[in-house]
Amino acid sequence: MTDVPADMPVARGRGNSGGFAGWNARLIASRRFQKWAAGSFLTRRIVRREGEALFDLLAGFCHSQILSALVQFEMPGKLMNAPMTAEELSVQCNVPLDRMVILVRAATALGLLKRKRGGKIGLTRRSAALVGVPGLQAMIRHHDILYRDLADPAAFFRGETETELASFWPYVFGGDMEPRAAAAYSDLMAQSLELVADDTLRSVDLSNVKTLLDVGGGSGAFLAAAGREFPHLNLMLFDLPEVAPSAQPRFERAGVAGRSTILGGSFLNDPIPSGADAISLIRVLYDHSDSTVTALLAKCFDALPAGGRLIISEPMLGGDVPERAGDVYFALYTLAMKTGKTRSLLEIKALCEAAGFEISASPAPFRPFITRCLEARKRL
Ligand SMILES: CC(C)=CCC/C(C)=C/CC/C(C)=C/C=C/C(C)=C/C=C/C=C(C)/C=C/C=C(C)/C=C/C=C(C)/C=C/CC(C)(C)O
Ligand SMILES: C[S@@+](CC[C@H](N)C(=O)[O-])C[C@H]1O[C@@H](n2cnc3c(N)ncnc32)[C@H](O)[C@@H]1O
């Protein structure tokens, strides 16, 4: 299975509108043509737009660091109740005033802060939203690791970088983990799951499911959300023995403990428990190699009754049309993790079909940067 389909239409990727190679690429690269096009009434808007787009790409790492600085200084929280002057921010964040002014101006240019009347600085819609997205500030903070991993992109793509991200999520390997560490990782994972659960439950109707088994269900955040939305649903969670018990307090808080079962085990070595008519795999496949995923899907197939449903939800590649969230962020993230890879819908469909499933639905995602869903069925 290849990551880039042989028939991938190169010209359809974003920012690649014409498919340029040969004489037309050489023309656009020629300095004389560039000067002429910048001066011509007909073409100067295109020249400016392409230049701006290139500049945004080369400056993207500065944009991310401005966002990270706001999060590290906890500025969104500080500005939530009332705007502040640059002087007040300088004192509260312990940043010299002249440097705070530069940060505020940069964040304003990026649409993250806004100068109010009277010169005070306030949040924008975007930075106010940031505060309410569960786990997003923690995610942004942990990006310092990925940022270091990507510092030498040539070495990174050649596979020569000893990436730090490879040891950030130790449970991904199913390896040794002390319970406190497991709880901390599960917490970041559970917070970031909230929007994934929202979008999954928006795409997938569980009203006909009696018992849902969430394989790799972490600390139970998806099942708790599904159980709240579908009061008839019995819940089963299967995860590593170090991780699975962390679901109990969540199920109790959510009032679903009475209809839930928590099972510890490894899908590498143990069978998937039977008894459910639907199995969900939420952000599980992209942690693992094709061979592990093949074996896991075969075990899910065995565990389901005829007609049983398989629900897969995770960020995916754009497939024929590479897209920014899947093909840039999640593909690099999983590459740095080294255990698995982000896959396209077609690749996941093929793996499901190879395990014996038939694909029943692939709903259009609400927010592809959060997740994309695929439903399959074990034939009756
Ligand atoms: C009230 C007035 C004046 C106006 C109203 C106008 C109006 C309706 C405005 C709407 C404003 C609004 C409510 C905005 C909401 C915005 C939201 C909810 C934004 C959400 C953004 C979410 C983001 C950016 C999520 C990012 C997720 C990331 C980066 C997840 C990373 C996950 C990873 C790395 C997982 C790793 C798992 C592993 C290890 C690979 O297995
Ligand atoms: C990326 S997390 C996803 C957790 C949860 N589904 C979510 O989306 O937040 C992957 C989950 O798979 C679990 N996992 C990894 N290897 C496993 C294995 N061999 N057997 C069972 N669970 C495993 C991890 O412990 C973790 O909870």
Side-chain angles (χ1 to χ4, degrees):
M1 196 171 289
T2 57
D3 290 319
V4 181
D7 59 348
M8 191 176 91
V10 179
R12 289 174 66 200
R14 202 168 153 175
N16 198 5
S17 48
F20 291 94
W23 71 267
N24 49 9
R26 282 195 296 277
L27 180 67
I28 290 175
S30 107
R31 188 62 201 112
R32 271 184 67 194
F33 178 74
Q34 290 183 353
K35 278 187 92 148
W36 172 83
S40 159
F41 169 72
L42 287 174
T43 48
R44 66 182 177 220
R45 286 230 312 257
I46 306 175
V47 172
R48 191 170 51 228
R49 210 172 51 223
E50 289 302 319
E52 274 167 4
L54 261 182
F55 195 86
D56 260 6
L57 286 177
L58 73 85
F61 72 103
C62 296
H63 299 184
S64 297
Q65 294 305 82
I66 296 298
L67 178 64
S68 281
L70 293 196
V71 169
Q72 278 185 40
F73 294 137
E74 299 176 356
M75 282 165 67
K78 290 185 165 83
L79 293 170
M80 184 50 73
N81 290 327
M84 289 186 195
T85 61
E87 287 78 6
E88 287 166 331
L89 281 170
S90 146
V91 172
Q92 291 233 0
C93 304
N94 192 22
V95 174
L97 179 59
D98 55 336
R99 303 181 84 90
M100 177 53 81
V101 168
I102 292 172
L103 174 59
V104 165
R105 290 185 63 92
T108 305
L110 295 175
L112 291 166
L113 294 178
K114 196 169 169 179
R115 185 191 284 270
K116 305 269 184 196
R117 248 180 276 131
K120 289 202 172 191
I121 295 131
L123 296 179
T124 59
R125 185 194 289 172
R126 209 163 290 166
S127 48
L130 170 77
V131 177
V133 178
L136 189 53
Q137 298 193 59
M139 270 290 163
I140 291 170
R141 282 173 190 274
H142 102 298
H143 281 155
D144 58 342
I145 300 172
L146 180 57
Y147 190 75
R148 283 194 292 275
D149 287 348
L150 295 174
D152 179 347
F156 176 80
F157 280 105
R158 288 191 178 120
E160 294 163 0
T161 306
E162 280 296 322
T163 56
E164 284 181 52
L165 208 55
S167 46
F168 184 76
W169 301 103
Y171 64 83
V172 163
F173 296 97
D176 302 328
M177 229 179 129
E178 54 131 342
R180 263 218 327 242
Y185 293 115
S186 289
D187 199 39
L188 178 56
M189 200 49 82
Q191 287 182 45
S192 70
L193 176 87
E194 281 200 34
L195 297 194
V196 177
D198 288 350
D199 288 12
T200 304
L201 294 171
R202 214 182 159 109
S203 297
V204 172
D205 180 12
L206 300 178
S207 51
N208 291 328
V209 176
K210 286 198 187 77
T211 302
L212 174 65
L213 165 63
D214 194 25
V215 171
S219 58
F222 178 66
L223 283 182
R228 269 194 302 264
E229 191 160 327
F230 297 95
H232 71 280
L233 197 61
N234 293 315
L235 312 169
M236 286 171 75
L237 180 138
F238 180 77
D239 205 301
L240 295 168
E242 303 89 328
V243 176
S246 64
Q248 186 61 35
R250 186 185 305 282
F251 287 164
E252 279 161 17
R253 280 196 307 275
V256 298
R259 51 190 165 107
S260 64
T261 312
I262 296 172
L263 301 150
S266 167
F267 54 63
L268 299 178
N269 312 316
D270 304 312
I272 300 292
S274 57
D277 52 335
I279 291 180
S280 50
L281 291 162
I282 314 289
R283 301 195 297 179
V284 170
L285 302 189
Y286 68 179
D287 281 345
H288 301 281
S289 67
D290 283 346
S291 57
T292 301
V293 169
T294 300
L296 169 59
L297 293 175
K299 287 184 178 186
C300 291
F301 188 86
D302 290 343
L304 281 168
R309 281 164 67 183
L310 179 72
I311 295 156
I312 293 169
S313 173
E314 61 183 37
M316 297 180 194
L317 302 179
D320 277 359
V321 187
E323 54 121 58
R324 285 183 170 224
D327 285 86
V328 182
Y329 177 79
F330 287 102
L332 267 60
Y333 195 103
T334 48
L335 193 55
M337 279 176 61
K338 295 193 168 176
T339 53
K341 60 179 183 185
T342 309
R343 297 179 177 83
S344 68
L345 192 71
L346 275 183
E347 287 174 303
I348 298 178
K349 276 182 178 172
L351 288 163
C352 290
E353 282 166 350
F357 288 101
E358 64 183 11
I359 307 303
S360 46
S362 47
F366 174 52
R367 294 175 284 197
F369 59 94
I370 301 290
T371 198
R372 214 176 261 267
C373 295
L374 173 66
E375 276 202 77
R377 210 172 263 280
K378 179 167 172 174
R379 269 172 243 275
L380 280 166

Coordinates of all heavy atoms in Angstrom, one line a residue, residues 133-139 142 169 171 185-198 221 250 282-283 286 315 329-330 333 369-371:
V133 N -11.6 25.4 23.9 CA -11.4 24.1 23.3 C -10.7 23.2 24.2 O -9.5 23.5 24.6 CB -10.6 24.2 22.0 CG1 -10.4 22.9 21.3 CG2 -11.4 25.2 21.0
P134 N -11.3 22.1 24.7 CA -10.7 21.3 25.7 C -9.3 20.7 25.3 O -9.2 20.2 24.2 CB -11.7 20.1 25.9 CG -12.9 20.5 25.3 CD -12.6 21.5 24.2
G135 N -8.3 21.0 26.2 CA -7.0 20.4 25.9 C -6.2 21.1 24.9 O -5.0 20.8 24.6
L136 N -6.7 22.2 24.2 CA -6.0 22.8 23.1 C -4.7 23.5 23.6 O -3.7 23.4 23.0 CB -6.9 23.7 22.3 CG -6.3 24.2 21.0 CD1 -5.8 23.1 20.1 CD2 -7.3 25.1 20.2
Q137 N -4.8 24.2 24.7 CA -3.6 24.9 25.2 C -2.5 23.9 25.6 O -1.3 24.1 25.4 CB -4.0 25.8 26.3 CG -4.9 26.9 25.8 CD -5.1 28.1 26.7 OE1 -4.1 28.8 27.0 NE2 -6.3 28.3 27.2
A138 N -3.0 22.7 26.2 CA -2.0 21.7 26.6 C -1.4 21.1 25.3 O -0.2 20.8 25.3 CB -2.7 20.6 27.4
M139 N -2.2 20.9 24.3 CA -1.6 20.4 23.0 C -0.6 21.4 22.4 O 0.5 21.0 22.0 CB -2.8 20.3 21.9 CG -3.5 18.9 21.9 SD -2.4 17.6 21.3 CE -3.2 16.2 21.9
H142 N 2.6 21.1 24.2 CA 3.5 19.9 24.0 C 4.1 20.0 22.6 O 4.9 19.2 22.2 CB 2.7 18.6 24.3 CG 2.2 17.9 23.1 ND1 1.3 18.4 22.2 CD2 2.5 16.7 22.6 CE1 1.0 17.6 21.3 NE2 1.7 16.5 21.5
W169 N 4.5 9.3 24.0 CA 3.2 8.5 24.3 C 3.6 7.1 24.4 O 3.3 6.2 23.6 CB 2.2 8.6 23.1 CG 1.8 10.0 22.7 CD1 2.2 10.7 21.6 CD2 0.8 10.8 23.3 NE1 1.5 11.9 21.6 CE2 0.6 12.0 22.6 CE3 -0.1 10.6 24.5 CZ2 -0.3 13.0 22.9 CZ3 -0.9 11.6 24.8 CH2 -1.0 12.8 24.0
Y171 N 2.5 4.5 26.0 CA 1.5 3.4 25.9 C 1.2 3.0 24.5 O 0.7 1.9 24.3 CB 0.3 3.9 26.6 CG -0.4 5.0 25.9 CD1 -1.3 4.7 24.8 CD2 -0.2 6.3 26.3 CE1 -1.9 5.8 24.2 CE2 -0.8 7.3 25.7 CZ -1.6 7.1 24.6 OH -2.2 8.1 23.9
Y185 N -0.9 10.9 30.6 CA -1.1 10.8 29.1 C -2.6 10.7 28.8 O -3.0 11.3 27.8 CB -0.3 9.7 28.6 CG 1.2 9.8 28.7 CD1 1.9 9.0 29.5 CD2 1.8 10.8 28.0 CE1 3.3 9.2 29.7 CE2 3.2 11.0 28.1 CZ 3.9 10.2 29.0 OH 5.3 10.4 29.1
S186 N -3.3 9.9 29.6 CA -4.7 9.6 29.3 C -5.5 10.9 29.4 O -6.4 11.2 28.7 CB -5.3 8.6 30.2 OG -4.7 7.3 29.8
D187 N -5.0 11.8 30.3 CA -5.7 13.0 30.6 C -5.6 14.0 29.4 O -6.6 14.5 28.9 CB -5.1 13.7 31.8 CG -6.1 14.7 32.4 OD1 -7.3 14.4 32.4 OD2 -5.6 15.8 32.8
L188 N -4.4 14.1 28.8 CA -4.2 14.9 27.6 C -5.0 14.3 26.5 O -5.7 15.1 25.7 CB -2.7 15.0 27.3 CG -2.4 15.8 26.0 CD1 -2.9 17.3 26.1 CD2 -0.9 15.9 25.8
M189 N -5.0 13.0 26.4 CA -5.7 12.3 25.3 C -7.2 12.6 25.5 O -7.9 12.9 24.5 CB -5.4 10.9 25.4 CG -5.6 10.1 24.2 SD -5.0 10.8 22.7 CE -3.3 10.3 22.7
A190 N -7.7 12.4 26.7 CA -9.1 12.5 27.0 C -9.6 14.0 26.7 O -10.7 14.1 26.1 CB -9.4 12.2 28.4
Q191 N -8.8 15.0 27.1 CA -9.2 16.3 26.8 C -9.4 16.6 25.3 O -10.3 17.2 24.9 CB -8.2 17.3 27.4 CG -8.2 17.4 28.9 CD -7.2 18.4 29.4 OE1 -7.1 19.5 28.8 NE2 -6.5 18.1 30.4
S192 N -8.3 16.1 24.6 CA -8.4 16.4 23.2 C -9.4 15.5 22.5 O -9.7 15.7 21.3 CB -7.0 16.1 22.6 OG -6.7 14.8 22.6
L193 N -9.9 14.5 23.2 CA -11.0 13.7 22.6 C -12.3 14.4 22.5 O -13.1 14.0 21.6 CB -11.1 12.4 23.4 CG -12.3 11.5 22.8 CD1 -11.7 10.6 21.7 CD2 -13.0 10.7 23.8
E194 N -12.5 15.4 23.3 CA -13.9 15.9 23.4 C -14.5 16.3 22.1 O -15.6 15.9 21.7 CB -14.0 17.0 24.4 CG -14.0 16.5 25.8 CD -14.5 17.6 26.8 OE1 -15.4 18.4 26.4 OE2 -14.0 17.6 27.9
L195 N -13.7 17.1 21.3 CA -14.2 17.5 20.0 C -14.3 16.3 19.0 O -15.2 16.2 18.2 CB -13.4 18.6 19.3 CG -13.3 19.9 20.1 CD1 -12.6 21.0 19.2 CD2 -14.6 20.4 20.6
V196 N -13.4 15.3 19.2 CA -13.4 14.1 18.3 C -14.7 13.4 18.6 O -15.4 12.9 17.7 CB -12.2 13.2 18.6 CG1 -12.2 11.9 17.8 CG2 -10.9 14.0 18.3
A197 N -15.1 13.3 19.9 CA -16.3 12.6 20.3 C -17.5 13.4 19.7 O -18.4 12.7 19.1 CB -16.4 12.5 21.8
D198 N -17.5 14.7 19.9 CA -18.6 15.5 19.3 C -18.8 15.2 17.8 O -19.9 14.9 17.4 CB -18.3 17.0 19.4 CG -18.4 17.5 20.9 OD1 -18.9 16.7 21.7 OD2 -18.0 18.6 21.1
A221 N -13.4 8.5 27.7 CA -14.1 9.8 27.4 C -15.1 9.6 26.2 O -16.2 10.2 26.2 CB -13.1 10.9 27.0
R250 N -14.4 8.2 35.6 CA -15.1 9.0 34.5 C -16.5 8.5 34.3 O -17.5 9.2 34.2 CB -14.3 9.0 33.2 CG -15.0 9.9 32.2 CD -14.3 9.8 30.8 NE -12.9 10.0 30.9 CZ -12.3 11.2 31.0 NH1 -13.0 12.3 31.0 NH2 -11.0 11.3 31.0
I282 N -11.3 4.7 18.0 CA -11.2 6.1 17.9 C -9.7 6.5 18.1 O -9.2 6.3 19.2 CB -12.1 6.8 19.0 CG1 -13.5 6.2 19.1 CG2 -12.1 8.3 18.8 CD1 -14.4 6.5 18.0
R283 N -9.1 7.1 17.1 CA -7.7 7.5 17.1 C -6.8 6.4 17.5 O -5.9 6.6 18.3 CB -7.6 8.7 18.0 CG -8.4 9.9 17.6 CD -8.0 11.2 18.2 NE -8.1 11.2 19.7 CZ -7.8 12.2 20.5 NH1 -7.3 13.3 19.9 NH2 -7.9 12.1 21.8
Y286 N -4.1 5.0 13.6 CA -2.9 5.8 13.1 C -1.7 5.7 14.0 O -0.6 6.2 13.7 CB -3.3 7.2 12.7 CG -3.7 8.2 13.8 CD1 -4.0 9.5 13.5 CD2 -3.8 7.9 15.1 CE1 -4.4 10.4 14.4 CE2 -4.2 8.8 16.1 CZ -4.5 10.1 15.7 OH -4.8 11.0 16.7
P315 N -8.2 11.5 12.4 CA -7.8 12.3 11.3 C -7.2 11.5 10.2 O -6.5 10.5 10.5 CB -6.8 13.3 12.0 CG -7.0 13.2 13.4 CD -7.5 11.8 13.7
Y329 N -0.1 18.3 9.2 CA 0.1 18.1 10.6 C 0.1 16.7 11.1 O 1.1 16.2 11.7 CB -1.0 19.0 11.4 CG -0.9 18.8 12.9 CD1 0.0 19.6 13.6 CD2 -1.8 18.0 13.6 CE1 0.1 19.4 15.0 CE2 -1.7 17.8 14.9 CZ -0.8 18.6 15.6 OH -0.7 18.4 17.0
F330 N -1.0 16.0 10.8 CA -1.1 14.6 11.4 C -0.1 13.7 10.8 O 0.4 12.8 11.4 CB -2.5 14.1 11.4 CG -3.4 14.8 12.4 CD1 -4.3 15.8 12.0 CD2 -3.3 14.5 13.7 CE1 -5.1 16.5 12.9 CE2 -4.1 15.2 14.7 CZ -5.0 16.1 14.2
Y333 N 3.1 14.4 12.4 CA 3.0 14.0 13.8 C 3.3 12.5 14.0 O 4.1 12.0 14.8 CB 1.7 14.4 14.4 CG 1.6 14.4 15.9 CD1 1.7 15.6 16.6 CD2 1.5 13.2 16.6 CE1 1.6 15.5 18.0 CE2 1.5 13.2 18.0 CZ 1.5 14.3 18.7 OH 1.5 14.3 20.0
F369 N -10.0 18.6 10.4 CA -8.8 18.7 11.3 C -9.1 18.1 12.7 O -8.1 18.0 13.5 CB -8.4 20.2 11.4 CG -9.4 21.1 11.9 CD1 -9.5 21.4 13.3 CD2 -10.4 21.7 11.1 CE1 -10.5 22.3 13.8 CE2 -11.4 22.5 11.6 CZ -11.4 22.8 13.0
I370 N -10.3 17.8 12.9 CA -10.6 17.1 14.2 C -10.7 15.6 13.9 O -10.0 14.8 14.6 CB -12.0 17.6 14.8 CG1 -11.9 19.1 15.0 CG2 -12.4 16.8 16.0 CD1 -11.0 19.5 16.2
T371 N -11.5 15.1 13.0 CA -11.6 13.7 12.7 C -12.4 13.4 11.5 O -13.1 14.4 10.9 CB -12.2 12.9 13.9 OG1 -11.9 11.5 13.8 CG2 -13.8 13.1 14.0

